[in-house]
Amino acid sequence: EAQVTQNPRYLITVTGKKLTVTCSQNMNHEYMSWYRQDPGLGLRQIYYSMNVEVTDKGDVPEGYKVSRKEKRNFPLILESPSPNQTSLYFCASSFWAGGLAGYNEQFFGPGTRLTVL
Amino acid sequence: SQQGEEDPQALSIQEGENATMNCSYKTSINNLQWYRQNSGRGLVHLILIRSNEREKHSGRLRVTLDTSKKSSSLLITASRAADTASYFCATQETSGSRLTFGEGTQLTVNP
């Protein structure tokens, strides 16, 4: 079954304790992205990756790191989490056709609800 | 900053009625996509319309795109209670490779 998986689904942590949220897709997609969703603010992009070893900042990258060492995985790292990073996080992936053809549909993971105390 | 902005922010209708949501954006785009999200869950892709298309249909969904007005609309016909969800538009700008989401329209369909 084609899918994007995220782990963990729920996480409660404390300020300053490093954490990693994993994301994996089994569709051989080039493009992967992380978003955070907060009430009244919609989805905001954190980082995205066009392919292995190619990553770029989105709208709200501060306090986050990513890596893309393999095509299927795109982990999100919070080196020193703070309470303002409490949010619902989504990973997504898509084929990238390039040029004006652009993206096809994005497939979203089920979300990770993070609480930083 | 958000590229797409949905209107209205919230919409409440009766089952069987049609629901129309609008999306406006600021820059030139390659394509525009609509997504649906049930409360607290992942987004699900509904339909994609490219910049050279004006209208697309998928089941009870109809999407229009007016690039001269930089706007799109999503029409859900004969709505059902199960259509209750948040609906988001997302745009891919011609100048880059990012996909940018709006803040969404919360649709409530009352039985």
Side-chain angles (χ1 to χ4, degrees), chain B residues 84-99:
Chain B
T84 294
S86 292
Y87 292 83
F88 295 86
C89 70
T91 53
Q92 187 210 339
E93 301 173 28
T94 54
S95 61
S97 52
R98 291 174 50 203
L99 192 66

Side-chain angles (χ1 to χ4, degrees), chain A residues 34-55:
Chain A
W34 276 102
Y35 300 90
R36 61 177 288 174
Q37 185 175 33
D38 303 287
L41 295 176
L43 268 81
R44 294 180 292 169
Q45 190 176 48
I46 303 170
Y47 270 95
Y48 65 100
S49 170
M50 299 300 293
N51 215 322
V52 175
E53 302 292 0
V54 180
T55 63

Side-chain angles (χ1 to χ4, degrees), chain B residues 38-92:
Chain B
N38 288 83
S39 181
R41 307 187 71 165
L43 279 72
V44 175
H45 182 264
L46 295 176
I47 197 164
L48 180 153
I49 185 165
R50 301 203 183 275
S51 59
N52 60 353
E53 297 175 312
R54 292 295 168 258
E55 187 171 312
K56 283 189 85 169
H57 297 256
S58 177
R60 293 184 296 114
L61 305 180
R62 174 180 156 236
V63 169
T64 61
L65 179 64
D66 186 335
T67 53
S68 66
K69 294 181 180 177
K70 292 186 168 57
S71 68
S72 173
S73 67
L74 170 67
L75 169 68
I76 304 174
T77 59
S79 63
R80 306 165 181 166
D83 294 328
T84 294
S86 292
Y87 292 83
F88 295 86
C89 70
T91 53
Q92 187 210 339

Side-chain angles (χ1 to χ4, degrees), chain A:
Chain A
E1 179 190 355
Q3 61 182 348
V4 177
T5 57
Q6 294 178 229
N7 282 293
R9 294 288 313 281
Y10 302 90
L11 180 59
I12 300 174
T13 189
V14 296
T15 298
K17 186 176 181 182
K18 181 179 178 180
L19 66 92
T20 299
V21 184
T22 63
C23 173
S24 183
Q25 50 94 4
N26 62 0
M27 295 167 279
N28 203 34
H29 286 164
E30 296 85 7
Y31 178 89
M32 297 185 75
S33 180
W34 276 102
Y35 300 90
R36 61 177 288 174
Q37 185 175 33
D38 303 287
L41 295 176
L43 268 81
R44 294 180 292 169
Q45 190 176 48
I46 303 170
Y47 270 95
Y48 65 100
S49 170
M50 299 300 293
N51 215 322
V52 175
E53 302 292 0
V54 180
T55 63
D56 211 343
K57 296 178 181 178
D59 293 316
V60 287
E62 293 77 21
Y64 304 94
K65 286 176 57 177
V66 293
S67 67
R68 188 90 181 273
K69 293 185 170 58
E70 304 165 286
K71 198 170 187 180
R72 64 183 295 128
N73 296 323
F74 191 45
L76 178 69
I77 303 157
L78 285 71
E79 294 270 2
S80 182
S82 62
N84 65 13
Q85 293 178 299
T86 293
S87 188
L88 179 59
Y89 291 86
F90 290 102
C91 179
S93 72
S94 171
F95 279 118
W96 166 249
L100 291 178
Y103 295 106
N104 291 322
E105 65 177 285
Q106 287 208 358
F107 290 80
F108 279 79
T112 294
R113 190 167 291 280
L114 173 65
T115 301
V116 183
L117 302 174

Side-chain angles (χ1 to χ4, degrees), chain B residues 17-56:
Chain B
E17 294 179 339
N18 295 341
T20 299
M21 289 159 269
N22 302 298
C23 171
S24 60
Y25 56 91
K26 299 186 177 79
T27 63
S28 296
I29 61 171
N30 283 342
N31 67 63
L32 186 146
Q33 303 179 34
W34 285 92
Y35 288 80
R36 166 197 168 122
Q37 183 185 32
N38 288 83
S39 181
R41 307 187 71 165
L43 279 72
V44 175
H45 182 264
L46 295 176
I47 197 164
L48 180 153
I49 185 165
R50 301 203 183 275
S51 59
N52 60 353
E53 297 175 312
R54 292 295 168 258
E55 187 171 312
K56 283 189 85 169

